Amino acid sequence: MTQANNKPRSPIAAHPITSAAIAILIAADIFFVLFTPIYARITPKLGNWPFFYWYLLVYMPVTSLALWLTLRLQNRLKQPPQDPATATQEGGVRS
Amino acid sequence: MSHVNTTVFTIVVALFVLVTGVGFAAGHWRRASDMMHLDEWGLGGRGFGTLITWFLLGGDLYTAYTFIAVPALVFGSGSIGFFAVAYTIMVFPIALIFLPRLWSVSRVHGYVTPADFIRGRYGSRGLALAAAFTGILALMPYIALQLVGIDAVLQVMGVGTTSTNTFVKDLPLIIAFLVLAAFTYFSGLRAPAMIAFIKDTLIYVFVLVAIFYIPTRIGGWGHIFGAAQTHFESINPKTGKPYGTFIPTSKAIGSTQFDFASLALGSAIALFLYPHTITGTLAAKRRTVVKRNMVYLPTYSVLLALIALFGYMAIADPATSASIKKAGGNAQLAVPYLFQHMFPPWFQGIAFAGIIIGALVPAAIMAIAAANLFTRNIFKEFFKPDASPRLQTQMSQWASLVVKIGALLFAIELPKTFSINLQLLGGIWILQLAPMMIGGLFTRWFHRWALLTGWLAGMAYGTIAAYNVSSPTASHWAGSSDIVFGHSVYIGLTAVIINLVVAVVLTLVLKATKVPEGIDETLPHQYTADPEDTPAPAPAGVGLGTAAD
């Protein structure tokens, strides 16, 4: 089965920089919480909070922000002028 | 402990009655002309907007797992319990990758369950049966965890612990359970969706109050973290090792960083493979609703992190620690006892009701999801292919009752030292759907028989490995990690890697020998479709699930 990105007018091919930015945003968002050596430490403390604990807490609004940005970028992948015309009952453009 | 505080008891019962009323009334909310259709009973008419979906999916995330199991692990073992925080961060970027595709293809083809998708994608009844079986099996311990959570609150309230008769002892739990079963039966998915509003209001109030108030009572955050650090670095005379870790360590022996990361990653991939989270997702009105929720849901996780810290507060408060010790060291009681020692009765009532309702909502969604799987992918597929929508709905209603009884058995049979293992056990099983589900959403490369064999290998390894984990208090099912190449790793993650390797190798073999691949009824553009991209605003109350039936 071929995928959307193999189609001749693929949104990924049409917007390489935006697509790369989306991929990097999502990958970074996962990496910086998956790779524990980055934050498994006590210092620097924030008030009385060890680094490990406040890092995780601060990470959540950051995730929200990163994903919000991702959605904004994904919207740019759509070709606005063609959007209403191609979006039908059976299938729309990539969103 | 046998003393029941009248104020606490009255408030909990009053809120429980309120929720029950709402649960039954929910059946009339945005009611469709024919409730006896699975799109209605099982998916709330497929018409939930961003806000309701947020509450519904939040309800899947915020369960007894959050209130009881995670703080219990934090109380008992320290920083490793915070893997749950890392997991609820990671889960959203991961879900954003594949969940919108699942929503789109399911909307176009009218899929109700994940196994429906597997059947359509691979044209394989066997593979769909495997997916349905796994989904139902994995939900059992997860529902059981909810029961353990309710039980912990009731125990601290002093309800039902005085009698030695098992039935009398568990009577309040059984009553709560029957009520849950009844309104799920009548109202379907609308009940938990509506109750989630009340539940979250209660929870937001008590968590925010507690997180600011408790530190002022017990000497501030400095003391809380200090007490936790001192405790976990001291040596447990029974084992000769430290009680736990305050910060995940990277030491050659006893490293917990790898364990931490693998538990977080495994749980994150697993969450949106669970049938109940998929149910919550498919009930969304539009594709953008699903996407937007990945942005808004992390705000839920902030509270999860704060609740995890209740575990440390329980360590820092001598009265709470003493109560837990007196109750046989049952860490599950950490949060209920903390609240009992910190707050006046009326506030305890609100908090305890919040936890109980917070366990009932996901239990209801899980039972519905498991019931849908049974009806669609086992009953209709193998026993009655011509089942009418009405019969399917009736079957689901009954199946939801059976599932709950199964969960009750899990709750009674498995060791409860760390109830979080119930959820992690479910995770081991559900993760074995990752290659066929997530893989299948992006590529049709995998061969159906290769996926089935891989699934079997992953299930076998995961189950045997989990069975063999022992602890000083339990000989089996005592944990969810085992040692691989010198590292302690979440069994679910190891199992799914085995699963994937088998699937890849066998796919190459089967493709080379040209074994028939089955018919794929989906088309590439359907994975990005939003049937309502050109909005014709439908009036509320009209069933929106008919677009693709």
Side-chain angles (χ1 to χ4, degrees):
Chain A
M1 264 302 164
T2 54
Q3 289 306 299
N5 56 2
N6 294 338
K7 283 197 287 185
R9 240 180 356 91
S10 151
I12 294 174
H15 302 272
I17 296 172
T18 313
S19 306
I22 291 172
I24 291 168
L25 260 176
I26 292 186
D29 205 23
I30 297 170
F31 176 80
F32 285 103
V33 69
L34 183 63
F35 197 67
T36 42
I38 298 173
Y39 59 96
R41 58 178 76 230
I42 289 186
T43 52
K45 283 190 174 187
L46 186 72
N48 287 314
W49 287 57
F51 186 74
F52 177 76
Y53 297 95
W54 70 259
Y55 178 90
L56 283 173
L57 203 62
V58 169
Y59 206 103
M60 290 175 182
V62 172
T63 296
S64 262
L65 201 70
L67 296 183
W68 176 78
L69 214 66
T70 308
L71 290 201
R72 291 295 300 267
L73 290 172
Q74 281 190 339
N75 284 337
R76 284 174 63 181
L77 292 183
K78 292 184 188 174
Q79 287 106 335
Q82 293 165 341
D83 189 29
T86 49
T88 62
Q89 177 80 358
E90 274 302 306
V93 292
R94 186 184 182 85
S95 57
Chain B
M1 221 163 73
S2 59
H3 176 72
V4 179
N5 183 303
T6 332
T7 316
V8 178
F9 188 72
T10 313
I11 290 176
V12 169
V13 170
L15 284 169
F16 189 74
V17 169
L18 171 75
V19 158
T20 309
V22 170
F24 282 109
H28 300 278
W29 173 46
R30 303 175 66 169
R31 196 184 177 89
S33 49
D34 182 15
M35 267 300 276
M36 294 308 282
H37 192 290
L38 264 192
D39 267 2
E40 290 302 326
W41 184 82
L43 288 180
R46 289 188 191 249
F48 291 156
T50 303
L51 189 69
I52 303 169
T53 305
W54 188 75
F55 276 111
L56 197 60
L57 286 178
D60 287 338
L61 204 74
Y62 248 156
T63 69
Y65 173 79
T66 320
F67 296 109
I68 301 293
V70 172
L73 187 60
V74 169
F75 175 85
S77 303
S79 61
I80 188 76
F82 279 80
F83 89 82
V85 179
Y87 136 54
T88 48
I89 291 172
M90 252 184 267
V91 66
F92 300 111
I94 290 175
L96 189 62
I97 297 171
F98 70 91
L99 212 54
R101 294 178 72 86
L102 180 64
W103 184 92
S104 287
V105 75
S106 300
R107 172 54 66 93
V108 172
H109 288 277
Y111 299 147
V112 177
T113 69
D116 284 350
F117 164 68
I118 297 293
R119 171 133 174 41
R121 179 60 147 166
Y122 300 100
S124 167
R125 297 192 336 155
L127 202 56
L129 178 66
F133 169 77
T134 313
I136 295 170
L137 182 70
L139 279 176
M140 295 283 182
Y142 210 163
I143 301 175
L145 169 62
Q146 312 306 323
L147 299 179
V148 173
I150 295 173
D151 202 38
V153 173
L154 293 176
Q155 195 181 331
V156 171
M157 279 171 66
V159 177
T161 50
T162 43
S163 174
T164 46
N165 182 309
T166 324
F167 182 73
V168 177
K169 185 173 165 290
D170 290 330
L171 194 59
L173 186 63
I174 292 169
I175 291 172
F177 206 57
L178 287 177
V179 171
L180 162 76
F183 68 64
T184 312
Y185 182 96
F186 286 108
S187 302
L189 193 63
R190 284 180 169 84
M194 231 178 165
I195 296 171
F197 280 97
I198 304 174
K199 168 202 154 213
D200 287 348
T201 313
L202 290 176
I203 286 165
Y204 265 102
V205 168
F206 87 70
V207 172
L208 288 178
V209 168
I211 212 74
F212 288 105
Y213 175 72
I214 296 178
T216 65
R217 277 282 303 273
I218 56 176
W221 286 106
H223 174 67
I224 293 168
F225 284 121
Q229 187 168 8
T230 312
H231 171 70
F232 288 118
E233 283 170 1
S234 59
I235 303 293
N236 183 346
K238 279 183 203 152
T239 58
K241 290 177 192 157
Y243 280 99
T245 54
F246 182 62
I247 301 286
T249 59
S250 56
K251 281 185 225 130
I253 298 160
S255 160
T256 54
Q257 283 191 8
F258 216 86
D259 207 9
F260 182 98
S262 70
L263 283 167
L265 182 64
S267 301
I269 299 172
L271 183 68
F272 279 101
L273 292 174
Y274 272 109
H276 67 289
T277 45
I278 292 178
T279 298
T281 306
L282 297 189
K285 188 163 52 181
R286 301 195 50 182
R287 183 177 161 98
T288 44
V289 167
V290 177
K291 289 184 159 198
R292 269 191 227 129
N293 263 285
M294 297 304 119
V295 175
Y296 300 142
L297 278 169
T299 45
Y300 253 127
S301 315
V302 174
L303 283 201
L304 189 141
L306 298 176
I307 294 167
L309 288 167
F310 287 155
Y312 283 171
M313 294 181 191
I315 292 171
D317 179 46
T320 306
S321 308
S323 293
I324 296 167
K325 208 166 192 176
K326 217 174 111 194
N330 184 350
Q332 260 72 241
L333 307 178
V335 167
Y337 269 134
L338 183 69
F339 277 72
Q340 194 177 49
H341 288 295
M342 290 292 142
F343 289 108
W346 67 270
F347 194 82
Q348 286 174 38
I350 293 177
F352 290 169
I355 298 176
I356 293 175
I357 300 163
L360 287 178
V361 168
I365 308 173
M366 290 167 195
I368 290 168
N372 286 348
L373 277 174
F374 174 76
T375 305
R376 298 271 304 191
N377 309 105
I378 297 176
F379 175 69
K380 181 171 180 283
E381 187 71 51
F382 291 95
F383 296 102
K384 206 159 170 57
D386 58 341
S388 67
R390 188 181 179 81
L391 181 63
Q392 286 184 44
T393 308
Q394 283 171 340
M395 201 62 212
S396 272
Q397 286 175 318
W398 282 106
S400 77
L401 298 181
V402 176
V403 167
K404 293 196 191 82
I405 294 166
L408 201 56
L409 295 178
F410 256 96
I412 294 165
E413 287 302 317
L414 289 177
K416 290 176 205 156
T417 340
F418 282 127
S419 54
I420 201 160
N421 282 326
L422 289 170
Q423 196 266 357
L424 288 170
L425 181 62
I428 292 172
W429 289 328
I430 205 71
L431 264 173
Q432 305 318 316
L433 299 185
M436 62 177 99
M437 286 292 293
I438 302 178
L441 283 168
F442 289 92
T443 170
R444 186 62 214 291
W445 181 79
F446 288 107
H447 194 284
R448 50 184 174 165
W449 303 128
L451 285 169
L452 192 64
T453 317
W455 169 83
L456 203 63
M459 290 295 279
Y461 171 79
T463 309
I464 293 167
Y467 177 79
N468 284 335
V469 179
S470 63
S471 76
T473 49
S475 53
H476 296 293
W477 308 111
S480 302
S481 297
D482 63 357
I483 309 292
V484 181
F485 300 127
H487 288 285
S488 180
V489 181
Y490 181 34
I491 292 167
L493 209 58
T494 321
V496 78
I497 290 169
I498 293 173
N499 179 341
L500 191 64
V501 169
V502 171
V504 168
V505 170
L506 271 181
T507 296
L508 291 170
V509 173
L510 289 167
K511 277 185 190 281
T513 49
K514 299 210 162 42
V515 177
E517 295 214 28
I519 294 158
D520 181 3
E521 68 176 30
T522 67
L523 298 167
H525 72 266
Q526 292 170 343
Y527 288 86
T528 51
D530 189 345
E532 291 178 51
D533 248 348
T534 42
V542 173
L544 293 166
T546 48
D549 280 358

